[in-house]
Amino acid sequence: MRVLVAYATKSGSTAGIAKAIGEELDRMGLATDMHEVSEIRDLSPYRAVVLGSALYLGRWQKEALKFGKRHADELRRVPVWLFASGPLDRSAEETDIPPVEAAVELASRIHARGHRTFGGRVTEETKGFVAHSMVKQGRGGDFRNFDQIHGWAQEIGNELLATPGLAAS
Ligand SMILES: Cc1cc2nc3c(=O)[nH]c(=O)nc-3n(C[C@H](O)[C@H](O)[C@H](O)COP(=O)(O)O)c2cc1C
């Protein structure tokens, strides 16, 4: 079985989360590709998809939402999980932060099996004037918790491996 981890990022933090998910699934024996949504044309090789986006101003990146809509028919036929990367504090470790409205709609359209919000990252390398001001004001930092991310990937991997017929396909 091949798994796709697709993501939309502005400054790379969400790519880091996607990579961590993909590496964990690979480690579990599930061959996994990680790609930015703009690089993906064909979903036919994949038996499961994890789709994630950075959050900016309370929204998913439009590329990720477009990807979800464009491939909705294919996504509906395979197990799909969604994730977002955002909060610049420890809140995503302490509570299950619900998906933003457009992600709720997408989840319902493609019958996603689950959603998780992970902490985000804003540093000097993050693009944009606002991000740089946030860092100067001490509101930046890296709040991605890779133990939490690996744990979620393991839940997904276990569910896929337990699905009759899927692991062998
Ligand atoms: C201008 C700006 C707006 C942001 N808005 C949100 C937001 O509404 N919700 C949130 O959880 N995080 C927000 N963040 C934090 C980013 O989502 C977080 O840093 C994310 O990890 C960035 O991902 P990327 O590096 O993949 O682009 C914002 C960051 C910036 C710089």
Side-chain angles (χ1 to χ4, degrees), residues 9-31:
T9 180
K10 255 191 200 173
S11 291
S13 323
T14 312
I17 295 173
K19 186 164 172 274
I21 294 169
E23 285 173 354
E24 192 61 32
L25 293 173
D26 253 336
R27 201 189 56 76
M28 295 175 81
L30 297 158

Side-chain angles (χ1 to χ4, degrees), residues 65-91:
L65 293 171
K66 277 188 190 160
F67 173 88
K69 282 182 191 161
R70 190 166 63 243
H71 294 288
D73 288 341
E74 297 127 288
L75 290 169
R76 220 175 286 119
R77 286 187 217 115
V78 296
V80 180
W81 286 264
L82 303 179
F83 72 92
S85 121
L88 298 170
D89 55 27
R90 296 276 163 222
S91 57

Side-chain angles (χ1 to χ4, degrees), residues 38-159:
S38 57
E39 296 171 354
I40 304 159
R41 297 280 168 273
D42 181 16
L43 289 190
S44 61
Y46 300 110
R47 298 289 164 271
V49 177
V50 182
L51 171 63
S53 175
L55 288 170
Y56 284 91
L57 304 175
R59 292 173 191 275
W60 267 42
Q61 300 279 275
K62 63 177 183 315
E63 297 79 14
L65 293 171
K66 277 188 190 160
F67 173 88
K69 282 182 191 161
R70 190 166 63 243
H71 294 288
D73 288 341
E74 297 127 288
L75 290 169
R76 220 175 286 119
R77 286 187 217 115
V78 296
V80 180
W81 286 264
L82 303 179
F83 72 92
S85 121
L88 298 170
D89 55 27
R90 296 276 163 222
S91 57
E93 292 168 33
E94 289 153 10
T95 50
D96 185 7
I97 299 176
V100 299
E101 198 180 325
V104 173
E105 281 165 21
L106 177 61
S108 148
R109 184 191 284 238
I110 63 177
H111 307 157
R113 290 196 182 189
H115 170 278
R116 193 60 71 85
T117 304
F118 295 113
R121 179 189 68 175
V122 166
T123 62
E124 284 84 6
E125 286 86 55
T126 305
K127 291 173 191 159
F129 169 77
V130 179
H132 298 159
S133 315
M134 287 163 74
V135 173
K136 278 199 193 116
Q137 292 162 17
R139 290 164 55 212
D142 189 349
F143 295 93
R144 297 170 301 169
N145 178 329
F146 285 94
D147 287 340
Q148 185 192 22
I149 294 162
H150 287 141
W152 189 61
Q154 282 165 21
E155 286 175 29
I156 292 173
N158 286 333
E159 202 169 319

